[in-house]
Amino acid sequence: MKTAVQMNAARMPVYLDHASTTPVDSRVAARMAEVLNSETEFGNPASASHEYGDLAHSLVEQARRQVAAAVGAAAAEVVWTSGATEANNLGLFGVAQYYRERGRHIVTSRTEHKAVLDPCRELERRGWQVTYLVPDREGLLDPEQVAGSLRQDTTLVSVMHVNNEIGVVQNIGALGAICARHGAWLHVDAAQSLGKCPIDFAGLGVDLMSLSGHKVYGPKGVGALLVAQRRAGSRSAQVQLAPLLFGGGQERGLRAGTLATHQVVGMGLAFELASSISSTETVRIAQLQRRLWDGLASIGGVLRNGSASHSVPHLLNVSFEGVEGESLLAAIRPHLAVSTGSACNSALAEPSYVLRALGRGERLSESSLRFGLGRTTTECDIDTAVAVLSREVGRLREIAGAQPGKVPAAESGA
Ligand SMILES: *Cc1c(COP(=O)(O)O)cnc(C)c1O
């Protein structure tokens, strides 16, 4: 018998929004269900007084090793959280609070995820100063720009690895060296990285790194903050954090609360699977992205947002000249599941702040779509997307009486 989900799947639009979340790998779901159904694996991982606790603890520790191995970290550096949002909050508030007497200046960029920008705004309300660096038109930060922004009282730099709206990859290795030299801690939101590009926590000289389960074919509601235990390179000091939650002292006192064993196990397996993806899969995604871009470009009046050379192939962000973003999204909605900007901002009918930071005008920022390609994406999906967009963009332009290229030069921002 088919489940309701399977029956509906036939009528669902093509899913091209893997950057907002991914389906759970069936092997991960099966293993999680096993833990949930188990008569022996349900114990509290913090219960040290009996076998049930020990068994759950061993599952959590195995998952810790899996996550660590996937990103070049040590198991002891993994602090489980409810997701990358919590990991970002723990990293930012944790460092700010712990080092508040040393300095109250933080450096970040205008194109960060809201889960970094909103904590920064809150820290400003609490008396911290935040420098928001503006990337170049391609979305890239110049390491020298970061170096130039550091002050005596800078305690933390927070820059993401792979951008969730445009797929651009920042030069984290260069930032690691700069921060280490200056004595500022470096936090990196790497929620989008695993499975898309190489990621090496120890090698990058990063102090704190946020990870998420559900961007990597794992479950929602689980993530981790990596906290470097020893510093690669010149400085031997180790970053300290003030916790956000107080309770049972779990996770070395950094994150109180009973661990969700099945979630943690799911993330561990998802990370192990993602770290062993073949290079043929990466090539396949790159070919699909090329097919998508070629198809969209042939519509005319379509601009690509973000660097094409310093980016992952899993994301493609484009702006359509001469169409209104909201009308376009409504027109394609029955056929395509894509987004404008990040899922977290889709509720707000405002143009992407990421694209605005790249210098795109309001209209082009507002008429942008983000395509997130993933394991389930096929050539057929791409062809459907191109056909639907070609039809709907043409129709909307006709209605608006607009022609491609008619957007004022000041607005094109290209
Ligand atoms: C999805 C995402 C987050 C939020 O992660 P959650 O696990 O959903 O809290 C943070 N940063 C980036 C870059 C993301 O893509």
Side-chain angles (χ1 to χ4, degrees):
M1 204 183 81
K2 281 194 168 181
T3 65
V5 171
Q6 284 168 325
M7 286 193 301
N8 277 328
R11 277 181 270 124
M12 294 287 276
V14 169
Y15 190 76
L16 286 172
D17 200 15
H18 285 84
S20 67
T21 197
T22 54
V24 179
D25 186 294
S26 59
R27 291 162 291 185
V28 171
R31 181 66 193 114
M32 289 177 69
E34 228 172 75
V35 174
L36 282 170
N37 285 312
S38 172
E39 289 174 12
T40 56
E41 295 177 337
F42 66 86
N44 186 327
S47 300
S49 57
H50 50 69
E51 284 286 310
Y52 293 91
D54 287 351
L55 184 51
H57 177 76
S58 72
L59 295 177
V60 166
E61 293 314 305
Q62 189 199 352
R64 205 185 292 280
R65 288 191 293 274
Q66 287 170 312
V67 166
V71 296
E77 295 177 318
V78 176
V79 175
W80 299 112
T81 65
S82 61
T85 299
E86 187 191 330
N88 285 345
N89 274 264
L90 178 56
L92 289 157
F93 287 109
V95 166
Q97 182 68 9
Y98 192 93
Y99 296 99
R100 65 191 181 283
E101 299 307 335
R102 198 169 101 186
R104 300 193 185 190
H105 179 237
I106 291 170
V107 173
T108 187
S109 88
R110 292 246 316 260
T111 53
E112 296 298 307
H113 193 274
K114 284 279 180 178
V116 163
L117 293 177
D118 282 355
C120 284
R121 291 275 180 235
E122 178 57 26
L123 281 165
E124 283 184 288
R125 280 189 283 272
R126 296 183 192 179
W128 270 260
Q129 290 185 334
V130 181
T131 298
Y132 299 91
L133 297 172
V134 182
D136 66 16
R137 287 180 169 277
E138 301 248 278
L140 293 163
L141 284 176
D142 180 354
E144 287 313 310
Q145 209 183 341
V146 176
S149 71
L150 297 173
R151 311 192 318 209
Q152 202 66 44
D153 59 345
T154 309
T155 51
L156 182 69
V157 174
S158 182
V159 171
M160 73 203 313
H161 189 211
V162 175
N163 185 279
N164 55 297
E165 281 195 35
I166 51 179
V168 160
V169 185
Q170 300 294 350
N171 184 355
I172 298 299
L175 301 188
I178 288 166
C179 291
R181 215 180 312 129
H182 191 88
W185 306 110
L186 176 60
H187 167 257
V188 173
D189 179 347
Q192 291 285 345
S193 307
L194 184 63
K196 299 194 182 93
C197 69
I199 168 169
D200 178 11
F201 182 64
L204 289 169
V206 171
D207 298 293
L208 299 158
M209 183 178 276
S210 300
L211 306 171
S212 175
H214 74 97
K215 303 290 172 70
V216 196
Y217 307 88
K220 294 166 187 60
V222 64
L225 180 68
L226 303 179
V227 182
Q229 289 221 315
R230 61 186 146 51
R231 179 117 212 177
S234 54
R235 197 174 44 172
S236 56
Q238 177 181 319
V239 65
Q240 302 292 324
L241 296 173
L244 299 179
L245 301 180
F246 297 85
Q250 288 90 345
E251 300 299 276
R252 290 179 283 119
L254 289 176
R255 205 279 190 168
T258 303
L259 290 172
T261 314
H262 60 294
Q263 300 285 85
V264 160
V265 164
M267 179 164 162
L269 182 54
F271 268 53
E272 182 176 301
L273 295 170
S275 66
S276 61
I277 62 148
S278 62
S279 53
T280 46
E281 171 64 2
T282 309
V283 170
R284 190 185 76 88
I285 297 284
Q287 281 166 348
L288 291 175
Q289 192 216 37
R290 172 146 211 109
R291 193 180 182 90
L292 178 59
W293 171 237
D294 287 348
L296 295 178
S298 73
I299 295 172
V302 181
L303 303 165
R304 184 170 179 164
N305 297 313
S307 167
S309 52
H310 294 84
S311 57
V312 296
H314 302 68
L315 273 158
L316 182 67
N317 191 311
V318 299
S319 291
F320 298 88
E321 287 179 351
V323 293
E324 202 198 55
E326 263 178 71
S327 317
L328 180 58
L329 206 56
I332 64 173
R333 194 185 158 95
H335 315 284
L336 302 176
V338 297
S339 65
T340 54
S342 99
C344 320
N345 308 308
S346 292
L348 316 169
E350 67 181 44
S352 159
Y353 66 87
V354 171
L355 299 186
R356 294 306 304 273
L358 266 55
R360 282 285 189 227
E362 196 166 325
R363 283 185 69 105
L364 283 173
S365 298
E366 197 239 20
S367 72
S368 70
L369 291 181
R370 174 185 72 168
F371 300 88
L373 282 50
R375 283 186 207 163
T376 59
T377 310
T378 63
E379 260 185 26
C380 181
D381 292 343
I382 298 297
D383 295 346
T384 301
V386 171
V388 167
L389 280 158
S390 168
R391 187 181 70 223
E392 296 303 329
V393 167
R395 198 175 59 81
L396 289 169
R397 279 179 182 161
E398 231 166 75
I399 291 170
Q403 291 300 314
K406 277 258 177 90
V407 174
E411 285 252 88
S412 83

